[in-house]
Amino acid sequence: MNIEMRLAVEELFGRYVASIDDNHLEAWPDCFVEECRYVITNRENHAAGLPHGVIYATSKGMLKDRISSLREANIYEKHQYRHLGGSVRIVGTDNDLIDVRSSFLILRIMHDGETTIFATGEYLDKVVSTDKQYLFKERLVVTDSQKYDTLLALPL
Amino acid sequence: MTEKPNNFLPLEWPTNRVTEIPFRVFTDEEQYALENERIYKGETWNYLCLEVEVPEPGDYVVSSIGETSIIVTRDHDGELHAMVNRCVHRGALLCLDRCGNADQITCVYHAWSFSLKGELTGVAFEKGVKRQGGMPPDFKKENHNLRTLRVAEFAGLIFGSFSDAAPEIEDYLGPEIASRIKRVLCKPLKVLGRNTQILHNNWKLYVENTKDSYHASLLHLFFTTFEINRINQSGGIIVDSSGGNHVSYSKIDEVTTNADYKSQSLRSSKENFNLEDPVLLDGVDEIGDGITLQILSVFPGFVLQQVRNSLAIRQILPRGTTKTELVWTYIGYADDDPEMTERRLIQANLVGPAGFISMEDGAVGAFVQRGIKGVEEDNGVVMMGGHTAESVPYRATETSVRGFWKKYRTLIEGQAPNA
Ligand code: FES
Ligand SMILES: [Fe+2]
């Protein structure tokens, strides 16, 4: 496992988090390849092999649609997230796919300043290196809790 | 306080109708206690779980009626039982896990054990230790069974009732609601996943929301923004004779115009958005009647939804006057092929805590709860479509919201209001 790979994976994670936490949501789908999967599930469903996702996207187009919907259609009180990531473990590489796992803590800051722990959990990723940069082929977000406060608008 | 909740006086309503709703009904602690006695422990049937969640002998699931924890079991004869998840000894919670399989239920505190039917079968040190201590001769185990509930199964749904006076489940549902449940739950099910949404509002605000067909295309702008659906598509509302149960349904009607929307200059008539990936809309008319949306509720807190091919159960559970848990169970049919399952999972993006057409419902109840704070002496108004709670062939109405309050007042006050 080489250090450059680790740095490139971490750079991707940094771009991902910045797109959400800095409200550059339009840049969020660009962290993924065209044919990708992005699913948010919880530990109980995941352990039981239940496939449902709170968000269940099977293409970059669906990720873009989610952002357009958040921008144009959905109504929610203004809030932002602060992602804090645990250490990144590269658990395997298979041809072009790098298997990565990392933990996260996401705080939700409402427009009035109220700050709460919104989600904790683990990212189970498949990352690919393209000629320019590393991108997600798959990001499975497994939240520790199956409870979600109020609503889940911004991606985790 | 020495008074029992049943002796609380129900709060005063401004009229004998259900068109004005006192805001205090969403905040009052005594009213909340009364609801537990007269609604949750009253003549109602409360959804507990799916039959497919307790398929084998020994399977159990822990659910709730109101705030009361309830165990549902399947015994070794295959019979279903429901009982309060509370030890008869000192009252400790019995089952701590959400579900499991067991031959008997044993309390962790002093190890009393119970059969899957709820009978007390074992008392630790019943005869004492070295002939000292032990239960006195007048203690009879058969007098100390768990508090059991009536159980009813309907189309794969398991309901429980504290009340011997509640009508049989088919009569409670009414023929029209029963047939619409069977329309969706027409064959063996499988669970695709679960989650829970925490709502910062009184449970009744969420129940009202599910019955409120008026808000659907006004608050949820996804379909209209992406030019997919309008309220003027054909559909209607069915309210059962008690008022408490309802079905709202609609069919896509491609030829209707958007003139009604444009003339209102609604926020929801933005133009020129298209989905990048329309796979979300790749629905099939699997039931074969053209109905693309059916939201059905059973008093007090059960919802069955069909949004295109996305099927789900919602269980609405009170957790204090200003907090509610909304438990989602996403389902498909046992014989779905992988392609159909994938279709349901993709369409499930429309619903749930992050649903394109439902996420707002997680917040609006709390907007009301915050809005009424400190000015609970006033009333809200529910007059869209008239004063009564009848079935109607259109959806710009609050008829099923009035139906909810009709049933609610009937149970709380012991007589039906004028609706
Ligand atoms: S409280 Fe259950 S055995 Fe004592
Ligand atoms: Fe809604």
Side-chain angles (χ1 to χ4, degrees):
Chain A
M1 210 148 311
N2 64 54
I3 199 88
E4 271 161 41
M5 180 190 282
R6 167 171 290 276
L7 288 174
V9 166
E10 287 183 1
E11 188 274 336
L12 170 63
F13 283 24
R15 258 190 301 139
Y16 177 96
V17 165
S19 70
I20 301 170
D21 291 3
D22 298 344
N23 193 21
H24 295 142
L25 294 176
E26 287 68 18
W28 174 68
D30 293 333
C31 299
F32 293 80
V33 295
E34 289 294 330
E35 285 184 25
C36 64
R37 283 173 69 82
Y38 174 80
V39 175
I40 300 177
T41 184
N42 59 65
R43 203 185 261 269
E44 280 176 49
N45 284 344
H46 189 59
L50 300 177
H52 172 82
V54 192
I55 294 179
Y56 190 95
T58 54
S59 68
K60 186 170 172 178
M62 286 185 76
L63 300 180
K64 290 183 181 168
D65 290 336
R66 188 156 279 275
I67 300 309
S68 330
S69 182
L70 289 179
R71 293 288 197 215
E72 303 297 334
N74 293 117
I75 315 283
Y76 49 92
E77 284 184 277
K78 276 206 191 70
H79 63 278
Q80 64 181 74
Y81 292 157
R82 177 63 62 196
H83 280 70
L84 299 173
S87 63
V88 174
R89 282 189 298 142
I90 296 179
V91 292
T93 52
D94 179 17
N95 296 327
D96 310 340
L97 283 183
I98 310 165
D99 264 305
V100 189
R101 300 177 78 131
S102 59
S103 59
F104 63 82
L105 162 68
I106 299 173
L107 302 165
R108 184 187 62 190
I109 302 95
M110 298 304 295
H111 57 96
D112 65 355
E114 191 196 2
T115 302
T116 50
I117 293 174
F118 186 66
T120 64
E122 194 174 22
Y123 291 123
L124 310 185
D125 300 321
K126 294 201 188 304
V127 173
V128 287
S129 76
T130 64
D131 23 328
K132 287 203 205 91
Q133 57 193 350
Y134 281 37
L135 296 171
F136 291 111
K137 171 74 179 161
E138 182 177 309
R139 169 152 265 199
L140 182 63
V141 187
V142 184
T143 60
D144 292 323
S145 170
Q146 57 89 34
K147 291 187 176 174
Y148 302 100
D149 187 86
T150 307
L151 54 80
L152 195 156
L154 307 176
L156 299 182
Chain B
M1 190 166 307
T2 53
E3 251 185 347
K4 285 171 70 178
N6 249 338
N7 299 335
F8 289 152
L9 289 178
L11 61 83
E12 295 257 351
W13 284 60
T15 69
N16 188 32
R17 290 186 172 276
V18 288
T19 44
E20 287 177 84
I21 313 300
F23 289 131
R24 203 180 293 286
V25 80
F26 303 115
T27 59
D28 191 271
E29 294 287 347
E30 293 194 3
Q31 187 77 5
Y32 183 77
L34 206 53
E35 289 168 355
N36 190 50
E37 298 307 310
R38 298 189 187 172
I39 292 176
Y40 291 108
K41 284 156 72 186
E43 293 173 26
T44 56
W45 284 100
N46 293 268
Y47 170 77
L48 291 168
C49 65
L50 296 168
E51 260 200 299
V52 71
E53 295 178 291
V54 282
E56 301 297 331
D59 284 348
Y60 68 86
V61 161
V62 175
S63 186
S64 295
I65 294 183
E67 291 203 64
T68 307
S69 184
I70 304 291
I71 311 170
V72 181
T73 65
R74 188 181 292 279
D75 71 18
H76 291 292
D77 304 321
E79 292 289 312
L80 291 167
H81 303 274
M83 57 208 84
V84 177
N85 186 11
R86 177 195 64 182
C87 183
V88 291
H89 177 219
R90 304 292 300 125
L93 208 57
L94 289 166
C95 292
L96 306 175
D97 293 332
R98 196 192 65 79
C99 62
N101 184 284
D103 283 334
Q104 57 175 20
I105 299 164
T106 303
C107 181
V108 296
Y109 201 171
H110 313 91
W112 287 24
S113 54
F114 303 88
S115 74
L116 296 169
K117 298 182 194 329
E119 307 143 330
L120 176 61
T121 50
V123 171
F125 306 139
E126 186 177 3
K127 305 277 180 253
V129 177
K130 294 182 182 163
R131 301 200 192 161
Q132 291 179 307
M135 292 305 240
D138 61 336
F139 174 81
K140 301 269 182 282
K141 283 208 284 286
E142 58 269 29
N143 295 335
H144 298 273
N145 294 330
L146 295 181
R147 182 161 174 185
T148 52
L149 280 69
R150 287 171 71 196
V151 179
E153 180 276 326
F154 186 85
L157 306 169
I158 300 172
F159 293 88
S161 180
F162 275 96
S163 167
D164 292 332
E168 294 302 320
I169 190 72
E170 282 83 359
D171 298 330
Y172 184 81
L173 297 169
E176 291 175 304
I177 305 301
S179 72
R180 265 65 171 198
I181 292 177
K182 286 189 168 160
R183 175 184 166 270
V184 176
L185 305 184
C186 52
K187 47 184 175 172
L189 304 175
K190 73 178 166 199
V191 173
L192 300 178
R194 301 181 187 84
N195 55 43
T196 301
Q197 205 172 345
I198 307 298
L199 311 177
H200 298 278
N201 55 257
N202 187 273
W203 66 276
K204 299 186 291 301
L205 288 167
Y206 187 80
V207 177
E208 278 193 314
N209 174 274
T210 68
K211 292 183 181 264
D212 173 0
S213 48
Y214 181 22
H215 85 277
S217 65
L218 300 168
L219 173 65
H220 308 302
L221 307 186
F222 179 79
F223 278 150
T224 43
T225 302
F226 292 94
E227 297 273 308
I228 298 164
N229 179 335
R230 301 276 174 174
I231 199 170
N232 50 16
Q233 62 192 1
S234 60
I237 313 276
I238 298 166
V239 183
D240 83 313
S241 59
S242 80
N245 311 325
H246 99 292
V247 180
S248 166
Y249 62 94
S250 60
K251 296 183 179 190
I252 293 283
D253 185 352
E254 307 288 352
V255 297
T256 51
T257 72
N258 297 332
D260 289 346
Y261 276 80
K262 299 214 171 104
S263 65
Q264 303 283 308
S265 43
L266 295 172
R267 207 163 30 96
S268 51
S269 54
K270 286 178 183 161
E271 305 286 348
N272 301 326
F273 281 96
N274 290 306
L275 290 176
E276 289 260 344
D277 188 346
V279 66
L280 187 62
L281 307 177
D282 174 28
V284 292
D285 183 11
E286 57 183 324
I287 297 170
D289 56 10
I291 292 174
T292 48
L293 182 139
Q294 176 184 293
I295 305 295
L296 179 153
S297 71
V298 176
F299 191 90
F302 169 82
V303 181
L304 169 66
Q305 68 161 58
Q306 173 225 340
V307 177
R308 294 166 184 252
N309 302 114
S310 159
L311 311 178
I313 307 284
R314 302 180 224 158
Q315 186 185 17
I316 302 163
L317 296 173
R319 293 291 181 258
T321 53
T322 60
K323 190 175 170 190
T324 300
E325 288 190 4
L326 179 60
V327 181
W328 293 83
T329 305
Y330 307 89
I331 54 177
Y333 299 123
D335 65 1
D336 285 345
D337 60 19
E339 188 192 349
M340 193 65 203
T341 298
E342 184 79 349
R343 178 180 284 119
R344 294 194 205 286
L345 296 170
I346 288 173
Q347 292 184 24
N349 282 293
L350 292 168
V351 302
F356 287 129
I357 60 164
S358 69
M359 72 170 77
E360 293 86 0
D361 294 327
V364 280
F367 295 164
V368 175
Q369 200 78 51
R370 281 150 61 187
I372 65 179
K373 198 150 198 168
V375 281
E376 295 94 339
E377 64 273 23
D378 297 329
N379 307 303
V381 53
V382 186
M383 289 177 77
M384 194 75 181
H387 300 84
T388 56
E390 292 154 346
S391 301
V392 293
Y394 47 85
R395 294 195 304 149
T397 174
E398 296 175 308
T399 187
S400 39
V401 179
R402 286 187 290 277
F404 170 76
W405 291 111
K406 177 181 166 187
K407 174 87 175 186
Y408 179 89
R409 289 190 69 175
T410 304
L411 284 170
I412 294 281
E413 298 167 17
Q415 62 184 45
N418 180 9

